[in-house]
Every structure is written in structure tokens, then in C-alpha cells.
Amino acid sequence: MHGEANPSRRIRTGLFEVDLRSGELHREGVRVPLQEQPFHVLSVLLERPGDVVTREELQTRLWPAETYVGFDEGINTAIRKLRLAFGDSADNPRFIETLPRRGYRFIAPVNEPPALSNSSAEAAAVTPAPNSAENIASPSPASMPFSKWFWRIGIAAALLMLLIGIGAYLLQRRSSSSAVTPRRMMLAILPFENLSNDPSQDYFSDGLTEETITDLGELSPEQLGVIARTSVMTYKHTDKTVSQIGRELGVDYILEGSVRREGGRARVSAQLIRVSDQTHLWAENYDQELHNLLDFENDLGKAIARQVEAKLSPQRENALARVRTVDPEAYDLYLKGRYYWNQRTPAGLRQSVGYFQQAIGKDSSFALAYAGLADAYNISSILGVLAPKDSLPQSRDAAEKAIALDPNLAEAHTALGVEKSHYEFDFPGAEKEFLTALELNPNSAYSHLFYSNCYLMPMARVDQAIAENQKALELDPLSLPINNFMAVTYAFAGDYDKSYRQFQRTIQLDPTFPLAHEYLAARLFMTGKYEQAIEENEKAELLGGMSPEKAAAEAAAKLKIFRSGGEEAFWQRDLEENLQAYKRDMKSVSASALASAYARAGHADKAFEWLDKAYEERDGQDITLVKYDYAFRNFHHDPRYSAFQKKMGLPE
């Protein structure tokens, strides 16, 4: 089959079925997890199966001209994840062939399932296909003339109006209930569908979805829980029913809607649905003129306060009553920054820093942009994109600036709490920031997560840490990092059975998530299951970008050493490999990693020497949790261990 693929249909290839409309891949009826960008690449390849699609064409179609860095890394990662999803091989391809320095070709036979019925075909034609050749041109932002900023602010204003209706409806139902206090209602806001016939504006509709989640989450958190962005974005372009989504997310209500711009007007449609019986409880269409919209947005904030005054704290009323203005271009740059920050890749994080800095350059009083910049620096440190000394002081400066501009910004307090824990080792200060963030927005999944892992676990308050992680999971049940941290927390608590089950759940959500395999390997090493651990570590290396041949060879070498020399020989070889990597590139191995490597190999003097070096380098992500580092299990009675705990401000 050649020619352009019809985006409304499904395509079969071997045991797989590709649904171009919903953006899903299935193998024999079972969904295969696949992220959005690899699916976009697959869609382009399926437009012309058997033909070469050049790297230049893919870059033009899927990566915007303004992208600073990351095309090579992005396309290589996308192709690697596609091969993992299809069980394919670069050396002996059955689905995707690489033509060095040219591009890629989908080589497997493809065909279509039986045609839809007339009624189904008509229904499918109503909604523009998200992954068609027209619509996947670029999922990333592109520059636009200033005149077009107005319609975007109009959409934001209209979305704020939705908050009035939704909040009033839900709170009215709560206040009219019986004297018995029911449990907190849970709401999921599905990604607003972009009906503007311009896929490059997806970042904008996604960003407004995220901002709406945050705003509504702060409305009345004691009565209303709102599912976080990560989980709801899983349902972008989904064809699942409200009942299915509600069951998977554990919510009572779902809000779904769309955004469309027509000439000088913006149209926002939304409806609120009760999951239990799929009843449409509330619906509204907003057709908004695009004039003087910044003033109009301020008026909407005051209107929200009037609508739900009886249900809001004085602090929240004052926050909503304040007049807030922001440069339209700065707001757009902020949404771009969040778009790339949410990708959690090295290239994406670097771009997010750039966009947040540009937003601040456009509007130096824009508190959200400073909070975004603090988040970008924090995650860059956590993922090893930047060294702690190159990122965390900048995070602190940005977070403090955000708080000075807006003390009620929960995101900024969370970011500052992470910095105080990981860099300053100021645990009382970190606790204060996390508790402030949770008071301001109890519906922030990441505030619960970081409170658990950056404060409660270092302070050995394990039961509370588990409870906070569980709250984070309730708010963001499909988040891979939160699920993974839950498994790690169980392991630190010594509950290895729960830890193993939680790792399996995380891997079931996305088998291509490398950190789940990496941390599961560490848990298996802790319990002496070396051969299984080596197997999981091989998967992590493969998913992290290592070639299949090299990953297999390294796993075989490790297995041979363990079988012939036991644990002692295994960890001595591991230490030598870490030292060689450090010699090649000092930035590739952290001081805390070398401290652990020396400890596992039984070299106490060197282990404590490098532990002190990690302290000097403020490598706080690992050493704040040194109490749970299995490598140091035999050194807890060493006076140097107690001295280090005391120096860090950690309980002994």
C-alpha cells in the first residue's frame, strides 16, 4: 500500500494494529504503551510504507525550526522506542529500516481492517484526526505575529469562565448533601481538544489544560480533588469511554471540551459528566470577542471569588481578587517552557530553561515563569542533566523571586523545598516550604511526592512518607515517576514484596521506562537476586540508549564474573568500571555513586572519602537518603557514618 494514509482509519501490520485517530498501538488487542512523539514518527512513516522518509523531512514535520537542540537525540530516541514496542532490531529489521545518513523506511506489509459502517464512518469524520499528515506537522510551538496573541488570551479567559460554572456546580452539590460528610469528590479534566486546524498550537491547548487543572485544584481542595496533568494527558486523542477513564483514574466526574478560534473570536465548549451513569450534568459554550482581554481576565478572577465566596478561605478570596496582568508573549513563552519541561528529556529541559528565561525577559514580574525556571533547574539536577552546583543555586534564586512576586504560588514553595533539601541540607526549611505548598494547594501531586522523598524519608518518618506518596498517586495514578518512587519508598521501608509489586505495576504502565528497570535492578541486588538484577539492568541500559549488542555483552560479562567469583568479585568489577568511567568523563559518575561503589566493594576508607566529597559537591539527591543506601549497610557502626549523619543534619 502506497500513498498517503487516511488518518481516520486503522492500519494493521503483522500482529499489530495502529489506530491513527486515537494515537494508540495494539498487539493482538492489547495496548502497547507508546509515547506521543514516537507515535508521530510512526504516523509519518505509515503515510508512505516502503518509501524512504528522510531525516530532514522528519525534522521539518515534527521538530520546529526554533528548536534549540535535540533533534538527533529526539529522533534516535523515538526510533529506539518504536523498535522496542514492535520487538524490532536495527540490525535485522522487520518493521523499521534505518538508511544511514538518509532516513527511515517502514518495510513490513500493511493493510486495513474491514471498513467502518456508514454511521461509524460519519462519526469518525466529525473529529479532525490528530495524527494525520496535516495535523502532525509539528507538535511543538512556532513563532507567530503579536496580533495572534489576543485570541490566545481570549481562550484563557473563556477557560476561566468554565471554572465558575464547574466550581459552582460541584460546590453546590456538596453543600446540598446530607449531614453525613461524604468523601472528597474527584475530578479529571481531559485534555482540551485543539480544533484550530493548526497542530503547532497543541502546546497551547495542553498548557491551558494544565493551568485549568491547577486553578480548579486550588478552588476548594478539601471538597474537590483534581487529577494531575501527567495522568490525564494519557487520554489525549483517546477513544475510551467516560466509564473506562473514570474507572482507570478513580474519579467521580470528568470534564471534557474543545477550543476553536474563528476569525476574531474564540469558542470554548465544555461539558461535565458524572462517571457513575454518564449523565451530562453541566455544559457551556463560550463565544468570546477578542478585545481588551487582559482587563476582562482580571474581571473574571473577581467574578470567580463572588461565585464561590462562601466556600473560599479569605486567603484564596484575596488571591483571586488581585489584579494580575502578564505580557501575552511572556505567557505564551511560559506555556512553551512547560511543554518542554514535561518531556523530561535532557534536550527538553534545556529548552524549557531557555523559554522560561525568555518569558522572564518579556515580563520580569511574571511569577509563574520564575517558578517554572526553578522547576526546570531542579529536574535538571535530579536527572543528571546539570550538576547540583550548576543548577540548584539558580533554582533557589528563581523560586525566591517567584515567592517575592506571589507568596501564594504553591509551585514555587515546592521548588524551594527541593533546593533546601538537596543543596542546603536545611531540612527544617525544606519542611516549612513543603507544608506551605500543600496548604496552598493540597491537590499538587508533586508537592506530596517531594515532601515524601526530600523531607520525610531523610528524616526517617517512613510511614508518613508512604502515606504522602500514596496521596501523590491518588492525584496522579498514571505518573511513571510517582509510581516508581512509590516502589523505591517501599524498598527503603524494607517492604520488598510491596516494592516488587509496585515496580511491576510501573513497568506494566510503560515497559520502555528505563528508571523502573534500573531501580528494580537495585532492589533485586539488595535482596541477593543477582541474576535477575543483571537482566533488569540490561533492559535499563538498552532503554537508556545503549546498543543491544553492547548491553548484551556487558550483561554476559557481569553474569560470568558473578558466577565465577561471587558477590565480592562482582562489586570489585563494578567499582573498576565506575572508576574507568569517571576517568574518561568526571561528569558521568557522581561522587555519591563512587562512594557507594567503594562501599559495596568493601573499601571503607575510600567510601567515606568520596561521601565527604559528595557533601562538598552538594550531591544531595543521593546522600540525603544515605541511611537507606544498601552499600553502607555494613558501616552503620563506623563512627565516621554517625559523624556524617550528624554533619548532614539527619537523624541517626
Side-chain angles (χ1 to χ4, degrees):
M1 180 188 71
H2 290 267
E4 185 173 323
N6 182 342
S8 65
R9 68 164 187 246
R10 294 167 295 162
I11 293 177
R12 286 180 179 169
T13 176
L15 299 176
F16 295 87
E17 182 173 282
V18 183
D19 191 331
L20 294 173
R21 182 171 180 271
S22 70
E24 293 181 328
L25 174 68
H26 293 84
R27 186 182 190 275
E28 296 184 294
V30 178
R31 184 181 177 187
V32 179
L34 189 60
Q35 294 173 334
E36 188 172 3
Q37 191 72 338
F39 193 91
H40 284 324
V41 173
L42 176 62
S43 299
V44 175
L45 296 177
L46 286 174
E47 290 174 13
R48 305 198 312 272
D51 292 343
V52 177
V53 179
T54 67
R55 289 172 66 87
E56 291 76 14
E57 181 179 351
L58 287 167
Q59 183 172 18
T60 300
R61 295 279 298 277
L62 302 179
W63 276 264
E66 65 183 68
T67 300
Y68 301 135
V69 293
F71 167 69
D72 287 336
E73 178 184 350
I75 187 62
N76 292 339
T77 298
I79 293 295
R80 183 171 68 252
K81 290 193 173 184
L82 283 173
R83 287 196 171 114
L84 284 168
F86 281 100
D88 205 8
S89 166
D91 296 328
N92 186 27
R94 296 178 296 115
F95 292 92
I96 299 173
E97 179 185 19
T98 299
L99 289 86
R101 296 182 296 279
R102 289 184 59 197
Y104 305 92
R105 176 164 49 202
F106 196 90
I107 58 176
V110 299
N111 55 71
E112 300 175 39
L116 297 171
S117 67
N118 289 339
S119 59
S120 299
E122 289 171 4
V126 171
T127 304
N131 293 320
S132 66
E134 176 186 6
N135 285 351
I136 63 173
S138 173
S140 307
S143 298
M144 299 181 68
F146 181 79
S147 61
K148 293 188 179 179
W149 303 129
F150 288 111
W151 75 267
R152 292 176 173 174
I153 302 302
I155 297 173
L159 284 175
L160 281 174
M161 292 182 69
L162 295 180
L163 299 183
I164 299 174
I166 302 164
Y169 176 84
L170 292 176
L171 294 175
Q172 180 183 13
R173 285 185 60 82
R174 174 64 68 191
S175 63
S176 62
S177 61
S178 64
V180 177
T181 303
R183 67 176 180 84
R184 186 171 69 156
M185 294 182 294
M186 295 298 296
L187 169 70
I189 302 172
L190 297 186
F192 280 90
E193 187 176 1
N194 171 21
L195 300 183
S196 299
N197 295 320
D198 184 358
S200 68
Q201 294 168 18
D202 274 359
Y203 79 94
F204 189 73
S205 57
D206 289 354
L208 290 179
T209 302
E210 184 171 5
E211 292 303 302
T212 304
I213 289 169
T214 300
D215 287 344
L216 196 50
E218 295 175 348
L219 192 63
S220 185
E222 297 82 7
Q223 298 170 300
L224 181 64
V226 183
I227 298 297
R229 176 198 182 278
T230 310
S231 290
V232 296
M233 281 298 169
T234 305
Y235 299 97
K236 187 175 181 180
H237 306 315
T238 188
D239 59 357
K240 290 187 176 182
T241 65
V242 165
S243 179
Q244 287 176 294
I245 297 171
R247 184 168 59 252
E248 291 174 7
L249 292 178
V251 297
D252 304 288
Y253 300 94
I254 284 177
L255 175 74
E256 60 181 14
S258 62
V259 180
R260 182 194 299 274
R261 182 226 179 182
E262 295 177 343
R265 306 181 74 86
R267 183 177 178 83
V268 179
S269 300
Q271 56 183 343
L272 186 67
I273 304 169
R274 185 168 57 209
V275 171
S276 61
D277 56 6
Q278 288 84 62
T279 298
H280 291 231
L281 302 170
W282 175 91
E284 192 64 67
N285 294 320
Y286 295 96
D287 198 356
Q288 180 60 50
E289 288 283 353
L290 304 177
H291 302 296
N292 302 320
L293 290 172
L294 288 179
D295 292 338
F296 183 59
E297 188 173 307
N298 293 332
D299 291 340
L300 280 177
K302 297 172 185 176
I304 294 173
R306 288 194 297 268
Q307 290 283 334
V308 295
E309 183 176 1
K311 301 298 180 181
L312 296 178
S313 67
Q315 182 184 41
R316 183 61 180 153
E317 289 179 21
N318 292 335
L320 286 173
R322 278 180 310 153
V323 174
R324 297 181 298 169
T325 60
V326 61
D327 182 283
E329 291 187 63
Y331 185 68
D332 195 74
L333 289 164
Y334 167 76
L335 292 184
K336 292 178 183 179
R338 282 297 180 193
Y339 176 88
Y340 283 106
W341 182 79
N342 280 311
Q343 292 181 3
R344 298 297 199 278
T345 64
L349 287 168
R350 293 187 187 101
Q351 287 192 265
S352 72
V353 168
Y355 280 122
F356 289 135
Q357 289 173 334
Q358 286 186 62
I360 291 167
K362 289 286 183 184
D363 186 348
S364 61
S365 64
F366 190 15
L368 273 177
Y370 287 102
L373 185 60
D375 284 338
Y377 278 126
N378 275 341
I379 298 298
S380 293
S381 176
I382 290 171
L383 296 184
V385 177
L386 294 172
K389 288 188 176 181
D390 296 330
S391 54
L392 294 180
Q394 291 88 335
S395 171
R396 178 184 61 226
D397 292 345
E400 288 178 343
K401 181 65 174 177
I403 292 169
L405 290 166
D406 186 353
N408 296 317
L409 201 56
E411 300 98 309
H413 288 282
T414 298
L416 187 56
V418 173
E419 184 276 334
K420 284 186 176 294
S421 171
H422 282 180
Y423 194 79
E424 298 182 50
F425 308 141
D426 174 10
F427 296 106
E431 180 186 29
K432 178 183 176 183
E433 296 301 329
F434 289 132
L435 292 178
T436 299
L438 288 169
E439 182 181 0
L440 291 168
N441 185 6
N443 281 320
S444 171
Y446 271 86
S447 293
H448 289 288
L449 174 71
F450 286 127
Y451 178 43
S452 170
N453 288 277
C454 298
Y455 177 73
L456 292 173
M457 284 304 295
M459 293 295 104
R461 292 160 59 176
V462 177
D463 290 343
Q464 288 177 271
I466 291 172
E468 286 298 317
N469 252 343
Q470 288 171 339
K471 291 177 184 177
L473 268 182
E474 178 188 2
L475 292 163
D476 206 350
L478 303 184
S479 166
L480 294 173
I482 294 177
N483 274 278
N484 208 45
F485 271 116
M486 186 78 258
V488 171
T489 304
Y490 282 136
F492 285 164
D495 194 334
Y496 298 121
D497 289 338
K498 279 188 179 179
S499 174
Y500 183 78
R501 291 195 297 271
Q502 184 61 40
F503 275 124
Q504 292 302 314
R505 168 173 166 73
T506 308
I507 292 170
Q508 185 179 20
L509 286 173
D510 184 357
T512 69
F513 183 51
L515 285 180
H517 296 281
E518 179 183 337
Y519 288 10
L520 174 56
R523 178 255 180 218
L524 291 167
F525 281 128
M526 290 169 66
T527 53
K529 298 178 180 178
Y530 277 72
E531 297 197 7
Q532 289 177 258
I534 291 168
E535 181 182 348
E536 286 299 325
N537 192 69
E538 179 185 1
K539 294 176 184 177
E541 297 282 16
L542 183 63
L543 292 167
M546 187 178 288
S547 70
E549 297 77 15
K550 185 176 181 181
E554 289 196 359
K558 291 175 181 177
L559 193 59
K560 182 179 179 181
I561 290 170
F562 172 70
R563 287 174 174 173
S564 62
E567 292 185 24
E568 184 176 345
F570 181 88
W571 291 120
Q572 183 61 36
R573 172 63 182 274
D574 176 74
L575 171 62
E576 292 168 1
E577 289 178 348
N578 274 282
L579 289 172
Q580 290 171 5
Y582 183 78
K583 186 176 181 180
R584 288 193 303 269
D585 180 8
M586 294 176 61
K587 294 181 179 179
S588 66
V589 182
S590 68
S592 61
L594 280 175
S596 294
Y598 273 116
R600 284 191 296 265
H603 303 292
D605 292 345
K606 281 290 188 180
F608 284 109
E609 177 186 328
W610 279 94
L611 200 58
D612 286 334
K613 186 174 178 61
Y615 177 86
E616 293 169 5
E617 294 181 359
R618 307 316 244 191
D619 192 6
Q621 180 187 350
D622 292 323
I623 60 175
T624 57
L625 298 171
V626 68
K627 176 183 179 69
Y628 309 99
D629 188 342
Y630 193 66
F632 284 90
R633 68 193 184 281
N634 295 325
F635 300 137
H636 285 191
H637 297 297
D638 191 307
R640 290 171 292 185
Y641 182 83
S642 298
F644 184 80
Q645 294 274 82
K646 185 176 181 180
K647 180 170 66 173
M648 285 284 295
L650 300 172
E652 296 185 40

